[in-house]
Amino acid sequence: MAERQRGGGGAAGEAPEDRKPQSDEARSAFTPPLGVPLPPPPEDEHPTSEFAVPEGIAPELPGEPEGSAFTLPAGAVAPDSSTTQGTLLPGYTPPYGMPKVSLTKDTPWQDRMRTMLRMPVGERPAPERAAKQDEPGPPVPRVLDLTLRIGELLLAGGEGAEDVEAAMFGVAHAYGLDRCEPTVTFTLLTVSYQPSLVDDPVTANRTVRRRGTDYTRLDAVFRLVHDITSQGLTLEEAYRRLAEIRRNRHPYPGWGLTAASGLLAGAASMLVGGGVVVFLAAALGAMLGDRLAWLASGRGLPEFYQFVAAGLPPAAVGVTLSALHGYVDVQASAVITGGLFALIPGRALVAGVQDGLTGYYITAAARLLEVGYLVAGIVCGVLIVLYGGVHIGGATLNPEAALERVERPVIQIIAAMLLSFAFAVLLQQERHSVWVATLNGGVAWVVYGALADTAGLDPVPATAIAAGLVGLFGQLLSRYRYASALPYVTAAIGPLLPGSAVYFALLNFAKNELNTGIASLTKAAALALAIAIGVNLGSEMARMFLKVPGEAAGRRAAKRTRGF
């Protein structure tokens, strides 16, 4: 009986002989006790889930299929198989990844490299080069040295900091150094290259101690950078061409530069109402000042004293003619004004304001400080003579006499073109670009005369509009020839320089009329800033409407700080 009770827990239907006694440990807590019938087996053998919908509740409607992060959203157009272009909704990452910046050789390297520089470092695309096991990596020290030497020539020639950085980045990028960062200040060039995130960076720098104006050399360096970035020159070929550029002599002799200085001053004196005698007197004073400045330079004097020496002879010639007013009827103010046109550092002013507008504030501050020192040198040289002539020599220099502008459109247009021509020669430009800069200067003066004289517009906005056209045409011409824009811009702004306003300020200072002198000096500063801002705005407009390489090649700029 006990054995039968122990075996009562077996399953129903089992034969008695198949039952085996089980120990108390083998009995389960879920075994029904004796005398309780077993529950019927469930009809459905599939167990239910706690996520199943209970009876009496309608199931939810089927929702939209779950999408992928790499699926095109609704309203987007799939790209073509041949290009990476496509119309995408804003805020979505395309399924084929971020579009790659197209470094096509049809676009000027300035735009290609400037696009790369204005992108954050983490978003700069690096071209995937096929790694060859038998081919060594790029010679990093030699590439960095070549990059610095090219940047040195560009910075010493007066090129803007952004264009210098773009050239350095283009050279390093062409030779396989993708993760590099060039940095340009007023006198220091630095380039840093990091092979990978775990390797130590390699940094090299170079100091620019001497500056010179030679736009022929500047154009040659631009052509070299274009060939490196577009045609794949080897390092040996690039070094050979760079050595040839350094060995090349200036295209114009010293006496030609002195004659060009005289022609510039004479043409400028005709712009403010001078005649033939004034032309010759202004040319004589400017040539004497140029020779005196060359003598000071040969003695090793700083550039400040060179400008002081260059400003003495034109002012002395004007004061002498003013003292002889009873014998010779010559407009002495026009003579001195013409000499000032040949001394005002318009090139450095435009470069300084351009660096400030593009975000290179340290270089901009240094260049504008240089302009201030050079203008101070001119002021010292001219004021010494004017003060002696007015208070000691009895010269009668009347500022109001020079304000009587006589409208001579044909003569003034010819004078403006002669001034631009002489300025181009002084800048050592190539002969094929001299006539282009001459025509551009004539156009600038025609626009200024039409706005200021005919339409009666204030001289400051009229100057800004004329300078903007100069910058626009210069940028388009430089893109057409894959060259720098400076040779087509700097000489063309010569007729717009505020020579007469500077002269009026200095003369009023010499006569102790400080309020009038400060007002004239403020007007001169406003005209100078209008020229620089107009040139930069025209250049930016030209870049804005030019073809931009790639979809993601937007030229990013810094956001407004909004006071913080």
Side-chain angles (χ1 to χ4, degrees):
M1 185 68 181
E3 293 178 358
R4 185 172 298 178
Q5 287 179 356
R6 290 191 191 97
E14 290 183 355
E17 59 272 10
D18 296 333
R19 298 178 188 153
K20 294 181 180 179
Q22 297 182 0
S23 63
D24 292 339
E25 289 82 3
R27 181 175 299 178
S28 172
F30 298 97
T31 303
L34 294 176
V36 178
L38 294 175
E43 297 179 357
D44 190 5
E45 296 293 339
H46 300 285
T48 60
S49 171
E50 58 179 327
F51 298 102
V53 181
E55 295 182 2
I57 298 179
E60 295 182 1
L61 296 177
E64 297 180 359
E66 183 179 358
S68 170
F70 301 97
T71 305
L72 280 174
V77 179
D80 299 335
S81 59
S82 59
T83 62
T84 58
Q85 303 290 334
T87 305
L88 298 175
L89 293 179
Y92 287 93
T93 301
Y96 46 83
M98 290 302 295
K100 178 173 137 181
V101 174
S102 175
L103 300 177
T104 58
K105 295 181 175 62
D106 298 332
T107 310
W109 64 265
Q110 298 100 310
D111 291 335
R112 288 184 273 142
M113 295 303 112
R114 187 179 290 109
T115 297
M116 301 283 284
L117 282 175
R118 293 193 176 185
M119 294 178 66
V121 179
E123 298 181 10
R124 288 180 187 170
E128 297 180 0
R129 298 180 172 88
K132 299 181 180 179
Q133 306 203 355
D134 56 346
E135 182 179 347
V140 176
R142 294 194 67 197
V143 173
L144 295 183
D145 179 71
L146 177 66
T147 302
L148 289 173
R149 290 179 183 273
I150 289 177
E152 178 190 10
L153 288 179
L154 292 177
L155 187 62
E159 193 62 63
E162 187 178 33
D163 289 328
V164 176
E165 281 194 4
M168 295 172 63
F169 186 81
V171 173
H173 195 274
Y175 288 114
L177 305 187
D178 302 320
R179 298 180 185 87
C180 69
E181 274 296 318
T183 304
V184 175
T185 58
F186 184 58
T187 58
L188 183 64
L189 298 169
T190 305
V191 58
S192 178
Y193 170 68
Q194 188 172 13
S196 66
L197 296 177
V198 297
D199 293 329
D200 295 332
V202 181
T203 304
N205 55 55
R206 198 173 185 89
T207 303
V208 179
R209 303 189 182 277
R210 296 188 61 184
R211 300 176 182 271
T213 304
D214 190 345
Y215 282 0
T216 299
R217 179 176 295 177
L218 195 67
D219 274 343
V221 176
F222 263 72
R223 285 193 297 269
L224 174 60
V225 176
H226 170 66
D227 293 342
I228 290 174
T229 57
S230 302
Q231 300 180 8
L233 292 181
T234 63
L235 277 174
E236 288 71 18
E237 294 174 344
Y239 267 109
R240 179 182 56 80
R241 288 184 53 177
L242 187 62
E244 292 176 356
I245 292 173
R246 287 180 173 274
R247 284 196 301 264
N248 285 343
R249 294 180 174 273
H250 298 307
Y252 307 105
W255 63 266
L257 298 180
T258 301
S261 178
L263 179 61
L264 191 155
S269 66
M270 295 182 68
L271 282 179
V272 293
V276 178
V277 178
V278 172
F279 178 92
L280 295 176
L284 176 62
M287 287 189 291
L288 290 176
D290 182 77
R291 287 291 91 191
L292 193 58
W294 275 98
L295 180 61
S297 175
R299 295 292 182 179
L301 292 178
E303 201 170 10
F304 173 84
Y305 299 105
Q306 297 176 28
F307 272 81
V308 173
L312 292 173
V317 172
V319 169
T320 302
L321 292 177
S322 177
L324 300 176
H325 65 279
Y327 306 96
V328 181
D329 188 12
V330 176
Q331 196 174 0
S333 299
V335 175
I336 302 176
T337 302
L340 289 175
F341 266 89
L343 298 177
I344 296 178
R347 173 183 59 86
L349 174 67
V350 171
V353 175
Q354 179 181 356
D355 287 341
L357 294 177
T358 52
Y360 294 83
Y361 301 115
I362 297 178
T363 307
R367 285 186 168 177
L368 292 178
L369 184 61
E370 179 191 28
V371 171
Y373 273 106
L374 298 183
V375 172
I378 300 172
V379 169
C380 292
V382 176
L383 266 183
I384 290 173
V385 179
L386 289 182
Y387 188 84
V390 172
H391 293 276
I392 300 176
T396 57
L397 294 172
N398 185 12
E400 301 297 331
L403 292 176
E404 299 176 358
R405 284 188 60 183
V406 180
E407 295 187 7
R408 302 177 297 174
V410 177
I411 296 178
Q412 288 178 337
I413 291 174
I414 295 175
M417 296 179 68
L418 287 176
L419 193 154
S420 299
F421 172 81
F423 207 167
V425 173
L426 286 175
L427 294 174
Q428 303 279 0
Q429 292 187 197
E430 291 182 334
R431 290 176 173 82
H432 68 82
S433 65
V434 169
W435 66 272
V436 180
T438 301
L439 292 178
N440 203 7
V443 171
W445 182 259
V446 169
V447 173
Y448 172 79
L451 293 175
D453 297 335
T454 305
L457 191 65
D458 188 81
V460 175
T463 301
I465 294 173
L469 289 178
V470 168
L472 178 63
F473 294 154
Q475 197 65 235
L476 293 176
L477 289 170
S478 69
R479 290 302 185 268
Y480 174 73
R481 298 189 60 88
Y482 293 91
S484 172
L486 290 182
Y488 305 102
V489 171
T490 307
I493 65 173
L496 304 176
L497 293 175
S500 57
V502 173
Y503 165 70
F504 297 152
L506 298 182
L507 183 57
N508 284 299
F509 286 151
K511 298 176 68 175
N512 289 329
E513 298 177 1
L514 299 181
N515 293 333
T516 308
I518 292 175
S520 298
L521 194 61
T522 303
K523 180 181 179 181
L527 291 174
L529 288 178
I531 293 173
I533 294 175
V535 168
N536 181 264
L537 182 60
S539 301
E540 293 294 330
M541 290 178 61
R543 297 190 185 115
M544 186 185 305
F545 293 109
L546 287 173
K547 180 181 178 182
V548 181
E551 181 182 357
R555 300 177 67 247
R556 301 187 181 186
K559 296 181 180 179
R560 283 184 56 191
T561 59
R562 299 185 183 275
F564 56 84

